[in-house]
Amino acid sequence: MNNLKLYSEVTSNLALQSKEEVILFSAYDIERSRLFFASSANLIYTTHLSSFQNGKFQTKGPLQAEVDPIDLEGGDFITAFDYLLEKEALIVGTASGILLLHSVDGNGTEEVGRVEGGVRCISPSPDGDLLGVTTGFGQLLVMTHDWELLYETAVEDLPDFIDGFLVSDEPDFSRDTFGSPISWRGDGKYFSTLSEVSHPASTHKRLKFWERDSGVLHASSESKPFMAAVLEWMPSGAKIAAVYDRKLENKGPSIVFFERNGLERSSFNINEPVGATVELLKWNCSSDLLAAVVRSEQYDFIKIWYFSNNHWYLKHEIRYSRSDGVRFMWDPTKSQQLICWTLGGQITIYKFIWVTAVTERSTALVIDDSKILVTPLALTLMPPPLYSFSLNFPSAIRDMSLYSKNSKNLLAAFLSDGCLSVVELPAQDTWEELDGKEFSVEASVSESEFGSFVHFTWLDSHILLAVSHYGFSHSNCSSKTSSSKDWHCGLYMQEIELVCSEDHVPGLVTCSGWQGKVLNRSLLDGLVIGIAPNPAKNSSAFIQLDGGKVYEYAPKLGITRCDLKDYDVSFSSSCPWMNVVLVGNPSKPLLFGLDDTSRLHVSGRVLCNNCSSFSFYSNLANQVITHLILATRQDLLFIVDISDILHGELDLTYENFIHTGNKRKEEEKLNFINIWERGAKVVGVLHGDEDAVILQTTRGNIECIYPRKLVLSSIINALVQRRFRNALLMVRRHRIDFNVMVDYCGLQSFVQSASEFVRQVNNLSYITEFVCAIKNENVTETLYKKFLSPFHGQDGGVEAKDFSGSGSNSDVDNKVCSVLLAIKRALEEQLPESPARELCILTTLARSNPPALEEALERIKVIRDMELLGSDDPRKITYPSSEEALKHLLWLSDSEAVFEAALGLYDLNLAAIVALNSQCDPKEFLPFLQDLEQMPASLMHYNIDLKLRRFEKALKHIVSAGDAHFADSMNLMKKNPELFPMGLQLITDPVKRVQVLEAWGDQLIDDKCYEDAAATYLCCSSLEKALKSYRACGNWRGVLTVAGLLKLENNVVVQLAHELCEELQALGKPGEAAKIALGYCRDVNAGMSLLICSRDWDEALRVAFMHRRVDLISEVKTASLECASSLVDEYKEGLEKVGKYLARYLAVRQRRLLLAAKLQSEAQSINDLDDDTVSEASSTFSGMSAYTTGTRKSSAASTSSTLASKTRQRQRQKNRGKIRPGSPGEEMALVEHLKGMSLTAGARRELKSLLVSLVMLCEDKTARKLHHTAENFQLSQMAAVKLAEDTMSNDSINEHAHTLERYVQKVKCEVPTSEAFSWRPRVFISP
């Protein structure tokens, strides 16, 4: 669905030496872009293509060209002509058989050979190694570029006499015989010729295929009526084109294609009258365009065809006067550049581009000869060459422009005969009625000539803005007046007013009655590359000149400089593809341009360097563009938010539109779509809720895809505008997760809008499907996170702040219940009662989390009771049958869960019905239900609750069953200890309460909850068990207190105290044991030893002075001095370790930072490698420690068995906390070790007690020394930890700032307010 548009036409004239002189041949120098022309006066003209790059050469002034004469004998003239790239010279053949090598640069001519019968054709092979020559006698010579003859053969074998006809010995060299009857395949392995048949009276010819190296005839076709010497092999080598002369069939010529084996493959008619002839046939270098010169009675036409989907489209036609004798060649390097020349020396270079035939309103307008094939893609996706309806014009169409605004559709077409035709189409929603019809469109009437359009567009519904050629032969060949002679040659900008004398009837096509009038015409200095209407202003357009400069055109002001704030509208180079779209809010125009090097320009900068095609998408009613659709030469499709372009956030999001091959990045954020067929291009989109991108493959067929990003954008737009039904339909059609409808709007917002949602959807099947899909997950943060962005409200009257996703965990956790409850209420409020509504309500209950099965069964029970009563209640018809409702519930839920829920209602009949409908085995559930039915109500409830593990209800029911079942209640509480509190509330008998308490205490003993067990035993006066419980948990105060309650004798209590003292010593609690020894055992010596052992120095001194024993005082003093000395040594050793660990940490940290910087620099180069290299590099670096500099020896060395990995894991757990030099965890281990060296609260308390005791014992010097050592250690330890924490959060280490001395000073400043230094007596604090 593309059209071939002419975007540049540059014409100039060669200054021939005489009026009788005409141009006969042309040749092209690829390396230096030079054109050579040979004339009938044996002159060679040389010109450069660069001379045509400036639009100012579009005058009738002479073209700069070098003229070289070829000296030939009298009567001799040039018959063949070509350029030899290897020789950098022209090869010339004459009628007398001379082969000349003419050097253009050296201006010298050398005779390299002579052949009999004259030279009819010269054709070099594509690689330049061989040269094919045909003579006037029908001989074929193939020679090397060194003029060595490889072989010579006859193209056709004709005897002297055939059936009385004499074969002439004189060859005919009229102009009609000029051409190239030799055509080489693209690789040069084969070539073909056209040969006369053996009978001279026959016009049939035979197509022959020859092998390059041996000259052996490879294959030949059947005898066919080939026309003239027209033969052209496709450069790709797939087929060869020729022309059939079908005059005998009273038909016009047709172009036929052959395979290398001589078999005819296909053909098509060129739609010309019987007298027309095809003079020349040429493929372009990419083998996709076929051009021909077709001669009729009055005109010569250059026709260009394109093949797609097994159909040949005539895409362009240029009309010349027959007297011009036009010829052409395709540029060998630029597939869409055509070079035409006439006998009189007029040279024109046409530059074409492929433009999409799909308009902004998603209508395909495909040009095919004199028809425009119309297909409204928004109504039907019809693959070409099929179409909905067609518009037939008087002659071939060269270009067209569509105006579509406010239900008004105007189509203007410029025809090859110079006429302008206009047709008005009805509103697009009525086009279905036009399906299959063909409408004949008349040319508009005009008093003045329009010239030859190059560009044109609509300014409004009555004004066309056109860029036209005037003054050249191909511009005036269809002139009906001589007014063009009054105009200078060149490009003109003109406004054309179009008025229709007929009234347009809604729903019909207006094809006639149009009149055109030129309102304004002005000469242009430069070459216009493109024009595009300005969607932001009426009667305004943007004009792009050669070089990319863009200006604005207004009817009264003409061409002026654009004035768009914050945007540079010009491009850095010429962009044949130019589009202007409205973006943003408020809307403003934005210019996009694509140049011939695949660079996409926007706002004065290059957006993408490898763009192959692009289009625009809008999901808004005002047609403001929201997304750019971009296909790259890597066959990647990008969906770009316009907001990203406006805010300049493309590089990070789209990575310069290049596939880096990093698979891990792709998994994290895949922002493109792989186009499945190479070379496919974007031809259009379907806007709004259709959200489709239309691609056309190189084969011609179209594919419609729905990118996830566009689909979600349309859904979100519908949600913001509260079009819930449209949003739901899109979710269903594109299989999007239904949760997006809740998560994007927010849970609270959706719950509030649930009634409106149900009212709009009004389809219980859709609502049921929605309900079943709801889950406790925010898909906007998981599944669709990379596609969705916060919506900036532009339409619909809804503020964006009202639509924020539910991000809190609490919202996600209760999402299912909240949404389904809201839907259930909305169903009951908005929709009338019906069986389908009831089933939908059951669905909301079944899909709740947890499922509300009991409520659902209650509703089914109501229906069943209504059925059992057999009443004529009118509500009965609004409910489904109980069986249908139950089956629906069982389909949605687990049958076992529904059966248990039915049991939980204590309705045995309902449970039996559930079991039967769930296809359970009656042998399994019937005996169980029968046993329950025979039990009393309380016991039945108890057994059901017990089966359903509803133990609280079971306990209530078994207690209510009476004292006979007290043992069952005790067993239930023992098996479920959490029921004991409820049991105490339910059981009021004091004797039974004691049993419950004692059983609870025994259970607590089994659970090793001794304190709680002791309290429980005390409640039931079980003192002996309470004493054992206190003793088991080491609570000596409780043991001795309960011993007092038991009124034990003194000796028993003392014995018990001695045992407790020993137990506490064994438990490592000497301080507690000391209290028992002093208080109950009256053993001062043992108590003093225990106090010293527990380092409770002040208490030990108090007891010693209380008993006034000097020996005890001396013992305390000796022990305290020894403890102080050991602590001083310990703190000194700790101080050394702090310095050692800190130095090691800083060295490790510095090395880690250097290695990280090195790996980061290497990772940047790895990202540029291919996937295999990245994979290899990743495997090389994996598993290395932070200090490893080498790579792994082999993959086998890195593979270990499962047993070995488990062994290593156990070893790591065993060695956890150890510092292993060189390990990846050494850095953190050092920091944790430094933190672990801090003084604990117990150590600080003991240290303070020791300092006070030393002062009391007059050991001030020792106390000061201990204080100073402990203080230094603690300051260094805290400073080291703080330094390590600061360096871990930085990417660098400052050798001057990150030192222990500096951090010690910082910690000293914090000491007065620090709880960690509360142990220091102020008397020892240094100033």
Side-chain angles (χ1 to χ4, degrees), residues 481-734:
T481 67
S482 60
S483 61
S484 61
K485 295 181 180 179
D486 300 332
W487 298 96
H488 295 287
C489 296
L491 283 174
Y492 284 83
M493 181 75 69
Q494 55 186 3
E495 294 179 36
I496 302 173
E497 182 183 18
L498 294 168
V499 179
C500 186
S501 59
E502 301 178 3
D503 295 332
H504 177 68
V505 180
L508 299 181
V509 179
T510 304
C511 302
S512 59
W514 290 91
Q515 298 177 356
K517 179 182 178 181
V518 177
L519 299 179
N520 185 22
R521 183 184 286 134
S522 58
L523 181 65
L524 295 173
D525 293 335
L527 183 64
V528 176
I529 299 300
I531 59 176
N534 185 355
K537 294 182 182 179
N538 292 326
S539 301
S540 173
F542 291 101
I543 300 174
Q544 180 192 173
L545 301 183
D546 191 19
K549 199 68 177 176
V550 178
Y551 295 89
E552 187 175 3
Y553 180 89
K556 295 183 179 180
L557 301 177
I559 298 177
T560 59
R561 186 178 297 275
C562 296
D563 184 19
L564 294 180
K565 295 182 180 180
D566 303 329
Y567 289 98
D568 181 7
V569 297
S570 295
F571 307 127
S572 59
S573 62
S574 297
C575 296
W577 296 270
M578 183 175 73
N579 288 81
V580 185
V581 295
L582 286 177
V583 298
N585 187 16
S587 60
K588 50 192 171 184
L590 188 63
L591 276 77
F592 289 81
L594 179 63
D595 61 22
D596 52 8
T597 61
S598 301
R599 294 189 305 168
L600 182 62
H601 302 252
V602 60
S603 300
R605 61 190 178 98
V606 177
L607 183 70
C608 175
N609 288 309
N610 64 338
C611 176
S612 63
S613 57
F614 68 98
S615 187
F616 302 96
Y617 169 79
S618 172
N619 55 23
L620 304 178
N622 58 2
Q623 294 299 309
V624 174
I625 298 302
T626 56
H627 293 83
L628 166 68
I629 315 299
L630 186 152
T632 69
R633 297 172 67 182
Q634 287 183 305
D635 296 317
L636 305 177
L637 184 69
F638 288 87
I639 311 298
V640 184
D641 289 303
I642 291 295
S643 59
D644 291 340
I645 298 175
L646 297 178
H647 301 140
E649 301 175 354
L650 294 173
D651 295 342
L652 181 62
T653 307
Y654 302 98
E655 299 178 351
N656 295 322
F657 303 98
I658 297 176
H659 177 34
T660 59
N662 192 328
K663 293 182 178 178
R664 284 172 293 183
K665 272 188 178 181
E666 290 178 17
E667 294 174 358
E668 294 174 1
K669 189 171 185 179
L670 189 65
N671 53 17
F672 60 84
I673 300 172
N674 281 299
I675 300 177
W676 58 94
E677 186 161 341
R678 185 176 181 180
K681 293 186 178 182
V682 178
V683 294
V685 299
L686 299 181
H687 298 281
D689 293 347
E690 295 298 328
D691 45 58
V693 176
I694 303 172
L695 301 175
Q696 186 166 28
T697 65
T698 54
R699 294 177 285 111
N701 59 313
I702 61 171
E703 300 288 347
C704 189
I705 66 171
Y706 300 86
R708 185 58 51 87
K709 190 171 184 178
L710 288 188
V711 171
L712 289 171
S713 175
S714 299
I715 294 171
I716 296 308
N717 185 56
L719 291 175
V720 169
Q721 296 175 0
R722 295 185 181 273
R723 295 185 291 113
F724 294 109
R725 179 176 176 82
N726 294 338
L728 184 66
L729 292 177
M730 286 186 281
V731 166
R732 294 184 72 255
R733 181 167 66 247
H734 299 291

Side-chain angles (χ1 to χ4, degrees), residues 1009-1083:
C1009 299
Y1010 299 111
E1011 291 279 356
D1012 293 334
T1016 304
Y1017 287 135
L1018 290 176
C1019 289
C1020 61
S1021 300
S1022 182
L1023 299 180
E1024 293 183 356
K1025 289 186 176 182
L1027 187 144
K1028 292 180 180 179
S1029 299
Y1030 277 129
R1031 190 167 184 177
C1033 65
N1035 187 347
W1036 60 273
R1037 290 183 178 85
V1039 172
L1040 295 175
T1041 302
V1042 173
L1045 291 174
L1046 289 173
K1047 297 180 181 181
L1048 298 178
E1049 296 180 357
N1050 289 336
N1051 59 343
V1052 177
V1053 173
V1054 172
Q1055 180 64 30
L1056 182 61
H1058 279 290
E1059 293 176 359
L1060 290 173
C1061 189
E1062 292 176 358
E1063 292 174 2
L1064 290 173
Q1065 290 183 62
L1067 293 174
K1069 298 179 180 180
E1072 300 295 323
K1075 293 177 182 179
I1076 298 176
L1078 293 172
Y1080 288 89
C1081 300
R1082 307 296 180 181
D1083 190 347

Side-chain angles (χ1 to χ4, degrees), residues 422-460:
V422 181
V423 58
E424 183 170 0
L425 300 170
Q428 191 168 351
D429 54 1
T430 65
W431 285 13
E432 291 185 0
E433 302 174 0
L434 309 179
D435 192 25
K437 297 181 180 180
E438 181 174 325
F439 302 92
S440 296
V441 183
E442 298 180 3
S444 62
V445 179
S446 175
E447 297 179 357
S448 59
E449 182 187 346
F450 296 136
S452 177
F453 283 8
V454 181
H455 307 283
F456 70 103
T457 188
W458 292 90
L459 290 180
D460 57 35

